[in-house]
Amino acid sequence: MTFAIVLCSTYLVAEVSMPPLRAMAVMASRIGKGEISTRPPAVTDPRVSELARVIHEMAAKSEAQLDRLQAEKNRLDTILRGMGEGIMVADPQGSITLVNPTFKELFGLPCDVEGRMLIDISRHPALHESFRDILSSRRERVEELQLHAPKETTLLVHWVPLVECTMLTGVVAVFHDISDIRHMEKMRRDFVANVSHELRTPITIIKGYAETLLGGALEHPIQANKFVSIMHSHADRLASLVSDLLTLSQLESGTVPLDATSVQVHDTAQHV
């Protein structure tokens, strides 16, 4: 009889307790599936109220942590979108894990890049060779890379291996577009070469006629006057070139105020 009473009491207690426990189990399962905004209902049963409180605190902490992670992700996305340099992160197998819009623009890539292999997004041999070298050497590397598509572009690439606890977990590459810099350097080299040629011509003529005069042409006044006139003309040309060079130097330094005036294009073109 006593055993039967205990058994019945246990059954009755279990029947009374099971609905709140089942509700807590459902809440915990929903939270575990990602529904972190779910909160357990208020319960009055002291046997499950502590469990409800723990589940509520766990859900609140998880939600706060996910909010922080989402905020960090949004901040990182904003930084990557605003960078003028291309960023690429790949795992040791060559699978792309992260890129920014500038990288896609430099390589003319579609929107979906993450998850694809590096060899699928670019067939550039130097790019793959550098990637393999970084994997083997595990050392930073800076080099220039010339792209021919989607347009002619000169890139300065900074490779950095990602190493955690002596284990290589990936590679980061930063791509700087230095096409304008290289173009300006070429223009400077061409300019120096052209100026050198333009300076050499009058100097050579002046020197030649001066040597002729010193060699005896001074004894012939008519020829001497002609030579001096030619020397004077080329000296004026040389002075004009030097003046133009000084003006260009001042304009480049930004110390000369520009006075914009209207000109006749036809007259200017004829003068040139």
Side-chain angles (χ1 to χ4, degrees), residues 22 40 56 98 113 116 158 162 176 186 198-199 207 242:
R22 278 197 293 266
H56 185 280
L98 176 68
V113 175
R116 297 175 58 186
H158 186 188
L162 294 176
H176 306 264
K186 183 179 183 302
E198 292 296 326
L199 291 174
K207 181 181 179 182
V242 172

Side-chain angles (χ1 to χ4, degrees), residues 161-175:
L162 294 176
V163 181
E164 297 179 4
C165 300
T166 70
M167 181 178 294
L168 184 67
T169 60
V171 174
V172 177
V174 182
F175 298 82

Side-chain angles (χ1 to χ4, degrees), residues 8-67:
C8 290
S9 300
T10 303
Y11 175 77
L12 291 175
V13 169
E15 284 296 309
V16 172
S17 303
M18 280 302 292
L21 287 176
R22 278 197 293 266
M24 294 301 103
V26 171
M27 292 298 105
S29 176
R30 292 176 61 186
I31 293 171
K33 292 178 180 179
E35 301 179 25
I36 57 175
S37 60
T38 302
R39 296 293 185 271
V43 294
T44 58
D45 192 334
R47 290 167 296 182
V48 293
S49 61
E50 181 65 17
L51 177 60
R53 183 187 67 80
V54 171
I55 293 177
H56 185 280
E57 291 180 355
M58 178 186 68
K61 290 180 179 179
S62 298
E63 187 173 14
Q65 185 176 9
L66 286 177
D67 288 342

Side-chain angles (χ1 to χ4, degrees), residues 84-95:
E85 297 80 14
I87 304 294
M88 181 200 74
V89 183
D91 63 19
Q93 287 71 43
S95 177

Side-chain angles (χ1 to χ4, degrees), residues 2-269:
T2 303
F3 176 75
I5 294 174
V6 172
L7 184 61
C8 290
S9 300
T10 303
Y11 175 77
L12 291 175
V13 169
E15 284 296 309
V16 172
S17 303
M18 280 302 292
L21 287 176
R22 278 197 293 266
M24 294 301 103
V26 171
M27 292 298 105
S29 176
R30 292 176 61 186
I31 293 171
K33 292 178 180 179
E35 301 179 25
I36 57 175
S37 60
T38 302
R39 296 293 185 271
V43 294
T44 58
D45 192 334
R47 290 167 296 182
V48 293
S49 61
E50 181 65 17
L51 177 60
R53 183 187 67 80
V54 171
I55 293 177
H56 185 280
E57 291 180 355
M58 178 186 68
K61 290 180 179 179
S62 298
E63 187 173 14
Q65 185 176 9
L66 286 177
D67 288 342
R68 287 194 299 271
L69 291 174
Q70 186 62 42
E72 289 292 333
K73 181 180 182 300
N74 293 338
R75 186 157 48 245
L76 177 61
D77 289 342
T78 302
I79 293 173
L80 290 176
R81 285 196 303 270
M83 290 184 65
E85 297 80 14
I87 304 294
M88 181 200 74
V89 183
D91 63 19
Q93 287 71 43
S95 177
I96 305 297
T97 58
L98 176 68
V99 296
N100 68 341
T102 304
F103 176 84
K104 297 177 185 179
E105 181 180 352
L106 289 173
F107 285 84
L109 299 173
C111 295
D112 298 329
V113 175
E114 287 84 353
R116 297 175 58 186
M117 300 300 292
L118 179 60
I119 195 171
D120 293 333
I121 67 172
S122 176
R123 300 288 181 175
H124 201 294
L127 183 69
H128 297 285
E129 181 181 356
S130 298
F131 181 77
R132 290 191 296 268
D133 289 344
I134 295 299
L135 292 179
S136 60
S137 66
R138 299 192 179 188
R139 294 181 180 178
E140 293 188 23
R141 177 172 176 173
V142 178
E143 62 183 2
E144 285 192 18
L145 183 68
Q146 192 73 34
L147 295 182
H148 303 288
K151 62 179 181 179
E152 289 289 335
T153 308
T154 303
L155 301 176
L156 183 67
V157 189
H158 186 188
W159 297 89
V160 180
L162 294 176
V163 181
E164 297 179 4
C165 300
T166 70
M167 181 178 294
L168 184 67
T169 60
V171 174
V172 177
V174 182
F175 298 82
H176 306 264
D177 188 350
I178 59 172
S179 301
D180 291 340
I181 296 176
R182 292 293 178 261
H183 180 64
M184 289 298 297
E185 289 176 350
K186 183 179 183 302
M187 289 180 61
R188 287 178 182 273
R189 289 194 299 269
D190 294 343
F191 177 75
V192 170
N194 292 333
V195 168
S196 300
H197 174 73
E198 292 296 326
L199 291 174
R200 186 182 298 112
T201 301
I203 291 174
T204 302
I205 293 174
I206 292 172
K207 181 181 179 182
Y209 280 111
E211 291 175 348
T212 301
L213 290 171
L214 292 174
L218 287 173
E219 298 176 359
H220 305 279
I222 298 178
Q223 291 293 331
N225 287 334
K226 181 181 178 181
F227 292 163
V228 170
S229 177
I230 295 174
M231 292 170 62
H232 184 268
S233 174
H234 283 280
D236 285 343
R237 181 185 175 190
L238 186 61
S240 177
L241 287 171
V242 172
S243 177
D244 290 343
L245 289 175
L246 291 175
T247 301
L248 287 174
S249 177
Q250 291 173 346
L251 289 174
E252 190 175 39
S253 66
T255 58
V256 177
L258 298 179
D259 185 15
T261 57
S262 300
V263 297
Q264 293 294 331
V265 178
H266 181 267
D267 295 342
T268 303

